[in-house]
């Protein structure tokens, strides 16, 4: 029985409300990570900018001290620092409650960090986690909207469900870290890009794309993958239309390329405006961002067994989103902390930890990704209207980034999970419709 069309928007609201409740209900069950303490400590920048009105004091320059404030500012996005600060400020807490520098001391074990006050209080941790959790919800709504653009409500419901139930996204998005804002703004940027590629929205859509791209980059620098996917979606669709139209298509294509370049310039400009650490000799600081990010990656790779092989990277690409067990921490000696192990056991015992796919369920979802991609690309449309081909830009960029990543940490696979959720949902919807046709034949 088909639902009355008048009630479908109401069902959408109830569905998104249920996803919201599920994400927020498990927020304080999530196991603690040392990076949470670091970002909560760095939220004192919120006071500097919005209370003391002294953003110029946040400028940085070399030499950079390992785990020093300047080093942490240039390595990390600003959205989490400001949103965490706003959250604890509204909760009635103050900067005197923040953990000491640098938030978490990775040279000490867990128990010593706790004894020296580096683990935030429960009240501060709750305030710090709330912005990311709420933005993780916004990411679910954005993926729902993407599903509506690409197909219909079944795809939107299935994609947002796989996103919300993914244990990797749930754990890291519920923490006081950068993943929630990365999902929200990155997926919204792709949704706006899809609408532009379909000829929907005027100048405001392009302006929104620039703003969302800047917020994505300011959330986490790996957000460039989402920004590149969004711009690539529009560019690839424009190229296909140009090719099908022949010589008449070159002028519209040139206009689109010009608009994309303008959006890119505006996005970078807004990103810099939101990042006081880049204000002092901006080009040099952007260079520092790249070199210091590579320096940190080199340290991590050297400390955790060296770079992974291409084969392992390919395996991680295929297994991390749905099959691999949840990784609660990267530093192995945390396994010796009884308090952390108790948190892990409590979280994993809760249904709020998400869908632990394993080999069978996770394997089926991974196969569905390939089916979904083929199904999207095979939809019969005129060449001039094949806007869905833009999904290839998203696929190629995420796949390429996974294959060049030398560190096999599960957290580094997070940007590809929404794409996998969307494609797996498309595969499941395709399979269900095929079965329905077979049963009615």
């Amino acid at each position: 029985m088909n639902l009355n069309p008048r009630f479908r928007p109401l069902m959408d609201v109830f569905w998104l409300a249920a996803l919201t409740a599920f994400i927020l209900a498990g927020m304080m069950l999530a196991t603690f990570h040392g990076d949470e303490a670091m970002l909560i400590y760095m939220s004192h920048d919120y006071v500097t900018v919005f209370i003391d009105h002294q953003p110029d004091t946040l400028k940085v320059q070399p030499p950079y001290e390992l785990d020093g404030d300047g080093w942490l500012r240039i390595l990390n996005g600003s959205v989490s620092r400001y949103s965490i600060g706003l959250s604890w400020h509204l909760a009635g807490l103050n900067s005197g409650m923040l953990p000491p520098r640098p938030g978490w001391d990775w040279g000490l074990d867990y128990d010593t960090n706790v004894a020296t006050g580096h683990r935030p209080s429960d009240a501060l941790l709750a305030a710090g986690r709330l912005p990311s959790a709420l933005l993780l919800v916004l990411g679910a709504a954005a993926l729902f909207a993407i599903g509506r653009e690409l197909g219909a409500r079944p795809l939107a419901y299935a994609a947002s469900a796989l996103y919300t139930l993914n244990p990797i996204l749930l754990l890291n998005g519920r923490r006081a870290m950068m993943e929630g804002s990365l999902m929200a703004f990155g997926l919204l940027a792709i949704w706006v890009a899809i609408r532009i590629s379909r000829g929907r929205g005027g100048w405001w859509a392009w302006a929104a794309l620039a703003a969302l791209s800047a917020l994505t980059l300011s959330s986490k620098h790996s957000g460039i993958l989402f920004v590149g996917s969004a711009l690539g979606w529009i560019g690839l669709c424009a190229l296909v239309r140009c090719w099908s139209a022949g010589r008449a298509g070159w002028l519209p294509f040139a206009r689109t390329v010009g608009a994309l370049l303008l959006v890119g310039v505006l996005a970078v400009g807004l990103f810099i405006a939101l990042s006081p650490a880049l204000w002092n000799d901006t080009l040099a600081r952007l260079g520092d961002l790249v070199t210091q990010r590579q320096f940190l990656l080199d340290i991590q790779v050297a400390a955790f067994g060296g770079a992974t092989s291409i084969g392992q990277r390919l395996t991680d690409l295929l297994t991390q989103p749905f099959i691999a067990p949840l990784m609660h921490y990267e530093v192995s000696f945390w396994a010796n902390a009884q308090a952390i192990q108790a948190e892990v056991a409590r979280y994993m015992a809760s249904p709020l930890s998400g869908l632990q796919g394993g080999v069978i369920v996770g394997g089926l979802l991974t196969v569905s990704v390939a089916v979904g991609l083929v199904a999207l690309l095979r939809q019969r449309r005129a060449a001039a209207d094949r806007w869905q081909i833009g999904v290839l830009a998203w696929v190629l960029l995420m796949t390429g980034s996974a294959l060049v990543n030398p560190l096999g940490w599960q957290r580094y696979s997070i940007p590809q999970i929404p794409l996998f959720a969307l494609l797996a949902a498309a595969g499941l919807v395709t399979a269900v419709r095929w079965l329905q046709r077979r049963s009615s034949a």
Side-chain angles (χ1 to χ4, degrees), residues 341-363:
Q341 293 310 306
E343 289 185 15
V344 170
R346 182 184 64 176
Y347 187 74
M348 296 304 292
S350 171
L352 295 172
S353 63
L355 177 65
Q356 313 296 330
V359 175
I360 297 177
V361 175

Side-chain angles (χ1 to χ4, degrees), residues 149-391:
E149 292 287 342
L150 288 174
R153 279 187 168 83
L155 177 56
Y157 277 78
S160 56
L162 290 177
Y163 169 102
T164 301
L165 292 175
N166 186 277
I168 305 172
L169 276 184
L170 277 176
L171 176 61
N172 292 283
R174 285 166 168 167
R175 287 167 164 170
M177 299 203 300
M178 297 175 277
E179 277 65 30
S181 57
L182 176 65
M183 292 297 106
F185 300 124
L187 291 173
L188 283 173
I190 289 177
W191 173 64
V192 171
I194 293 173
R195 291 185 65 83
I196 291 173
S197 71
R198 299 188 67 181
R200 299 181 177 181
W203 65 267
W204 64 268
W206 291 97
L209 180 58
L212 289 167
S213 297
L215 287 169
T216 304
L217 294 173
S218 300
S219 295
K220 195 170 185 178
H221 299 144
S222 59
I224 194 171
L225 297 174
F226 286 97
V227 174
S229 298
L231 301 183
W233 192 306
I234 298 171
L236 184 57
C237 290
L239 182 61
V240 169
R241 288 174 179 144
C242 173
W243 186 269
S244 64
R247 294 177 63 181
W250 283 107
L251 182 58
F253 178 69
R255 289 173 178 168
T256 300
V257 171
L260 289 173
L261 290 173
L262 180 59
V263 166
V265 171
L266 288 174
V268 171
L270 289 170
F271 163 62
I272 293 170
L274 292 169
S275 309
L278 303 176
W279 291 357
N280 177 31
D281 194 356
T282 298
L283 290 179
R285 298 295 78 76
L286 287 172
D288 291 346
L289 187 158
V290 174
T291 57
Q292 292 303 312
R293 173 58 59 184
Q294 185 61 49
F295 172 64
L296 176 61
L297 183 61
D298 290 342
I299 292 176
Q300 293 169 334
V301 168
F304 295 94
T308 55
S309 65
I310 294 297
Q312 183 60 52
R313 296 174 198 180
L314 181 60
T315 300
D316 288 342
L317 171 68
L318 297 176
T319 61
Q320 289 288 15
F322 297 129
I323 299 175
L326 185 58
M327 182 183 291
H328 289 261
Y329 47 82
E330 296 79 28
V331 180
S332 60
F333 63 71
W334 272 44
N336 300 323
Q338 293 183 357
I340 289 296
Q341 293 310 306
E343 289 185 15
V344 170
R346 182 184 64 176
Y347 187 74
M348 296 304 292
S350 171
L352 295 172
S353 63
L355 177 65
Q356 313 296 330
V359 175
I360 297 177
V361 175
L364 288 174
L365 289 175
T366 303
V367 171
S368 296
V369 170
V371 174
L373 178 60
V374 172
L376 286 178
L377 295 178
R378 288 191 62 189
Q379 290 197 12
R380 299 185 183 278
R381 293 180 178 271
D385 193 39
R386 293 203 62 201
W387 53 268
Q388 286 171 310
I389 199 172
V391 74

